[in-house]
Amino acid sequence: MGIKIYNTLTRNKEEFIPLEEGKVKMYVCGPTVYNYIHIGNARPAIVFDTVRRYLEFRGYDVRYISNFTDVDDKLIKAANELGEDVPTVAQRFINAYFEDVHALGCKTADAHPRVTETMDLIIEFISVLIEKGFAYESGGDVYYRTREFEGYGKLSHQSIEELKVGARIQIGEKKKDALDFVLWKTAKEGEISWDSPWGKGRPGWHIECSAMAREYLGDTIDIHAGGQDLAFPHHENEIAQSEALTGKTFARYWMHNGYINIDNEKMSKSLGNFVTVHDIIKQHDPQVLRFFMLSVHYRNPINYSEELLENTKAAFERLKTSYQNLKHRMDASAELTDNNQEWLDKIAALRSQFIKEMDDDFNTANGVSVLFDLSKLSNLYLMEKNTSAEVIQSFMSEFEALFSVLGLSLKDEELLDEEIEALIEKRTQARKERNFQLADEIRDQLKEMNIIIEDTPQGIRWKRG
């Protein structure tokens, strides 16, 4: 059996069969760039970067697109408060986004389209919807006729009648039906705007992704992904717009990650528990945050707290220590021992188990459990009296491969600077000369510098405290 994906559209796990054999077209909704991203934005970035990495690991050629919303009400408000123009604010936070997600181990998308660079395509898209009778102009605004699209509600599993309850026409809106949604907004005085057949204005939120996904991936894409909060109305409206335009299935598999709570409460600016990645990674290794996110299945809610992150750090360090112990033993190992094949088979079995877990809707939580099994097995192997370079290399290669699939790094946080290196060398020499008092003094000095020294059978080890 191959990969199975839980499809929000059908609410079932389905065998993944891309449109074109060996190739995957994947679109992930990106952030609105009016501020630093919060950990709610970080979760889909990490989750779907991992999905991409795993698909590539399984041999697929993945074309991965993730957009930026670089003009909307929040951006205009932020620009006004800062006394800057919208493009300047957007570029600042696009730069900050890349800095944050790269620190989290996320690969750059094959393209990061921006709304402001897609305006002609958006206007053309809206024009065709009007021609087809799915949209109408009203006082300079353009709205989508929700009732005209027969399948509306199929992603969120709601009927038009259910959606009608509670639908209202807000003050200032010019739509004919409370269920209709905006495709183009007339610009207010002094706002950033673009010329269109309906006057100066800018696009509504939902139309942007439909236009960008079609431009970069075609009429039908394999996987469309984002946070659970986007399923309705954003993704529901994307389906309505795109399928009305093309008459084709917009996306075959819909993936949505679960919510994040902070200390068991829903993250919210009003509650004052709003946490940005920019602030977290000043205090914590961003790789630990990624590992934390992947330790829970992507569809499940996740609870964030400083205590849980600290516990995750300790667990992550245990895995890295196992790998480092293998590296230290490598030079002292023989080429062959009598039980090589037995251990190589055990390692291969763990790889098969990892693939089985990840094939089941990208279950990174179970995939991480396999990493700990690999760690335990390698620690057990290093207790053997005679060890083989072949087996140790196999263990190391497996650590490297599986860490890479999860976007995790086995490298230490940073290199020692010259001062610390010199102190470690001085302490090593003091021990050789049996000057243990000096060696202990240097150890204490390094501890004050947040460097912890460990004397192991494989040699001197250090880590940051």
Side-chain angles (χ1 to χ4, degrees), residues 61-76:
D61 177 11
V62 182
R63 180 154 173 77
Y64 186 95
I65 309 298
S66 184
N67 72 295
F68 289 121
T69 296
D70 60 346
V71 60
D72 87 326
D73 290 339
K74 292 175 182 175
L75 254 165
I76 290 170

mmCIF file of all heavy atoms in Angstrom, residues 61-76:
data_model
loop_
_atom_site.group_PDB
_atom_site.id
_atom_site.type_symbol
_atom_site.label_atom_id
_atom_site.label_comp_id
_atom_site.label_asym_id
_atom_site.label_seq_id
_atom_site.Cartn_x
_atom_site.Cartn_y
_atom_site.Cartn_z
ATOM 1 N N ASP A 61 8.232 14.034 -7.370
ATOM 2 C CA ASP A 61 8.712 15.369 -7.757
ATOM 3 C C ASP A 61 7.611 16.352 -7.353
ATOM 4 O O ASP A 61 6.535 16.364 -7.955
ATOM 5 C CB ASP A 61 8.959 15.397 -9.270
ATOM 6 C CG ASP A 61 9.389 16.771 -9.766
ATOM 7 O OD1 ASP A 61 9.706 17.642 -8.934
ATOM 8 O OD2 ASP A 61 9.378 16.981 -10.995
ATOM 9 N N VAL A 62 7.865 17.146 -6.316
ATOM 10 C CA VAL A 62 6.827 18.016 -5.748
ATOM 11 C C VAL A 62 7.027 19.460 -6.197
ATOM 12 O O VAL A 62 8.108 20.023 -6.031
ATOM 13 C CB VAL A 62 6.848 17.959 -4.199
ATOM 14 C CG1 VAL A 62 5.730 18.832 -3.615
ATOM 15 C CG2 VAL A 62 6.714 16.520 -3.712
ATOM 16 N N ARG A 63 5.986 20.035 -6.765
ATOM 17 C CA ARG A 63 5.984 21.493 -7.036
ATOM 18 C C ARG A 63 5.155 22.128 -5.937
ATOM 19 O O ARG A 63 3.945 21.918 -5.836
ATOM 20 C CB ARG A 63 5.419 21.800 -8.418
ATOM 21 C CG ARG A 63 5.405 23.300 -8.726
ATOM 22 C CD ARG A 63 5.464 23.593 -10.199
ATOM 23 N NE ARG A 63 5.284 25.008 -10.502
ATOM 24 C CZ ARG A 63 6.202 25.951 -10.349
ATOM 25 N NH1 ARG A 63 7.384 25.626 -9.869
ATOM 26 N NH2 ARG A 63 5.958 27.207 -10.660
ATOM 27 N N TYR A 64 5.809 22.931 -5.109
ATOM 28 C CA TYR A 64 5.233 23.434 -3.853
ATOM 29 C C TYR A 64 5.111 24.951 -3.931
ATOM 30 O O TYR A 64 6.109 25.658 -4.102
ATOM 31 C CB TYR A 64 6.161 23.014 -2.711
ATOM 32 C CG TYR A 64 5.688 23.307 -1.311
ATOM 33 C CD1 TYR A 64 5.016 22.336 -0.571
ATOM 34 C CD2 TYR A 64 5.951 24.528 -0.697
ATOM 35 C CE1 TYR A 64 4.626 22.578 0.741
ATOM 36 C CE2 TYR A 64 5.556 24.776 0.610
ATOM 37 C CZ TYR A 64 4.894 23.802 1.322
ATOM 38 O OH TYR A 64 4.510 24.050 2.619
ATOM 39 N N ILE A 65 3.888 25.436 -3.817
ATOM 40 C CA ILE A 65 3.607 26.875 -3.918
ATOM 41 C C ILE A 65 2.965 27.365 -2.624
ATOM 42 O O ILE A 65 2.051 26.731 -2.096
ATOM 43 C CB ILE A 65 2.646 27.189 -5.096
ATOM 44 C CG1 ILE A 65 3.141 26.548 -6.401
ATOM 45 C CG2 ILE A 65 2.465 28.698 -5.258
ATOM 46 C CD1 ILE A 65 4.481 27.039 -6.884
ATOM 47 N N SER A 66 3.457 28.484 -2.104
ATOM 48 C CA SER A 66 2.862 29.089 -0.913
ATOM 49 C C SER A 66 2.873 30.604 -1.090
ATOM 50 O O SER A 66 3.911 31.193 -1.384
ATOM 51 C CB SER A 66 3.643 28.694 0.345
ATOM 52 O OG SER A 66 3.016 29.195 1.506
ATOM 53 N N ASN A 67 1.716 31.227 -0.925
ATOM 54 C CA ASN A 67 1.553 32.641 -1.280
ATOM 55 C C ASN A 67 1.787 33.591 -0.100
ATOM 56 O O ASN A 67 1.877 33.184 1.049
ATOM 57 C CB ASN A 67 0.140 32.875 -1.800
ATOM 58 C CG ASN A 67 -0.890 32.795 -0.672
ATOM 59 O OD1 ASN A 67 -1.083 31.749 -0.073
ATOM 60 N ND2 ASN A 67 -1.539 33.908 -0.377
ATOM 61 N N PHE A 68 1.876 34.863 -0.426
ATOM 62 C CA PHE A 68 1.825 35.947 0.560
ATOM 63 C C PHE A 68 0.632 36.844 0.239
ATOM 64 O O PHE A 68 0.483 37.286 -0.909
ATOM 65 C CB PHE A 68 3.085 36.812 0.513
ATOM 66 C CG PHE A 68 4.327 36.139 1.036
ATOM 67 C CD1 PHE A 68 5.438 35.985 0.225
ATOM 68 C CD2 PHE A 68 4.387 35.671 2.336
ATOM 69 C CE1 PHE A 68 6.589 35.378 0.697
ATOM 70 C CE2 PHE A 68 5.533 35.060 2.826
ATOM 71 C CZ PHE A 68 6.641 34.910 2.004
ATOM 72 N N THR A 69 -0.210 37.115 1.242
ATOM 73 C CA THR A 69 -1.224 38.161 1.100
ATOM 74 C C THR A 69 -0.559 39.462 1.522
ATOM 75 O O THR A 69 -0.334 39.694 2.712
ATOM 76 C CB THR A 69 -2.460 37.862 1.973
ATOM 77 O OG1 THR A 69 -3.074 36.654 1.500
ATOM 78 C CG2 THR A 69 -3.470 38.994 1.910
ATOM 79 N N ASP A 70 -0.199 40.276 0.531
ATOM 80 C CA ASP A 70 0.570 41.494 0.835
ATOM 81 C C ASP A 70 -0.239 42.776 0.658
ATOM 82 O O ASP A 70 0.321 43.867 0.568
ATOM 83 C CB ASP A 70 1.869 41.549 0.013
ATOM 84 C CG ASP A 70 1.627 41.557 -1.484
ATOM 85 O OD1 ASP A 70 0.494 41.250 -1.919
ATOM 86 O OD2 ASP A 70 2.577 41.865 -2.231
ATOM 87 N N VAL A 71 -1.577 42.625 0.623
ATOM 88 C CA VAL A 71 -2.459 43.796 0.742
ATOM 89 C C VAL A 71 -3.807 43.311 1.276
ATOM 90 O O VAL A 71 -4.382 42.365 0.762
ATOM 91 C CB VAL A 71 -2.641 44.543 -0.601
ATOM 92 C CG1 VAL A 71 -3.247 43.633 -1.671
ATOM 93 C CG2 VAL A 71 -3.489 45.799 -0.421
ATOM 94 N N ASP A 72 -4.256 43.932 2.358
ATOM 95 C CA ASP A 72 -5.591 43.670 2.908
ATOM 96 C C ASP A 72 -5.850 44.694 4.010
ATOM 97 O O ASP A 72 -5.023 45.576 4.271
ATOM 98 C CB ASP A 72 -5.732 42.230 3.399
ATOM 99 C CG ASP A 72 -5.276 42.023 4.842
ATOM 100 O OD1 ASP A 72 -4.314 42.704 5.260
ATOM 101 O OD2 ASP A 72 -5.883 41.199 5.548
ATOM 102 N N ASP A 73 -7.007 44.588 4.677
ATOM 103 C CA ASP A 73 -7.395 45.577 5.695
ATOM 104 C C ASP A 73 -6.365 45.676 6.820
ATOM 105 O O ASP A 73 -6.030 46.771 7.282
ATOM 106 C CB ASP A 73 -8.759 45.221 6.289
ATOM 107 C CG ASP A 73 -9.905 45.419 5.297
ATOM 108 O OD1 ASP A 73 -9.707 46.185 4.330
ATOM 109 O OD2 ASP A 73 -10.966 44.809 5.478
ATOM 110 N N LYS A 74 -5.845 44.515 7.290
ATOM 111 C CA LYS A 74 -4.888 44.520 8.400
ATOM 112 C C LYS A 74 -3.588 45.215 8.003
ATOM 113 O O LYS A 74 -2.984 45.940 8.798
ATOM 114 C CB LYS A 74 -4.602 43.089 8.855
ATOM 115 C CG LYS A 74 -5.788 42.398 9.518
ATOM 116 C CD LYS A 74 -5.457 40.934 9.824
ATOM 117 C CE LYS A 74 -6.650 40.230 10.449
ATOM 118 N NZ LYS A 74 -6.381 38.780 10.633
ATOM 119 N N LEU A 75 -3.164 44.982 6.787
ATOM 120 C CA LEU A 75 -1.929 45.611 6.303
ATOM 121 C C LEU A 75 -2.103 47.118 6.158
ATOM 122 O O LEU A 75 -1.203 47.896 6.503
ATOM 123 C CB LEU A 75 -1.524 45.000 4.957
ATOM 124 C CG LEU A 75 -0.335 44.042 4.988
ATOM 125 C CD1 LEU A 75 -0.245 43.238 3.712
ATOM 126 C CD2 LEU A 75 0.959 44.821 5.209
ATOM 127 N N ILE A 76 -3.247 47.509 5.647
ATOM 128 C CA ILE A 76 -3.520 48.944 5.491
ATOM 129 C C ILE A 76 -3.549 49.620 6.863
ATOM 130 O O ILE A 76 -2.973 50.704 7.053
ATOM 131 C CB ILE A 76 -4.854 49.157 4.730
ATOM 132 C CG1 ILE A 76 -4.687 48.733 3.260
ATOM 133 C CG2 ILE A 76 -5.307 50.615 4.825
ATOM 134 C CD1 ILE A 76 -5.982 48.662 2.486
#
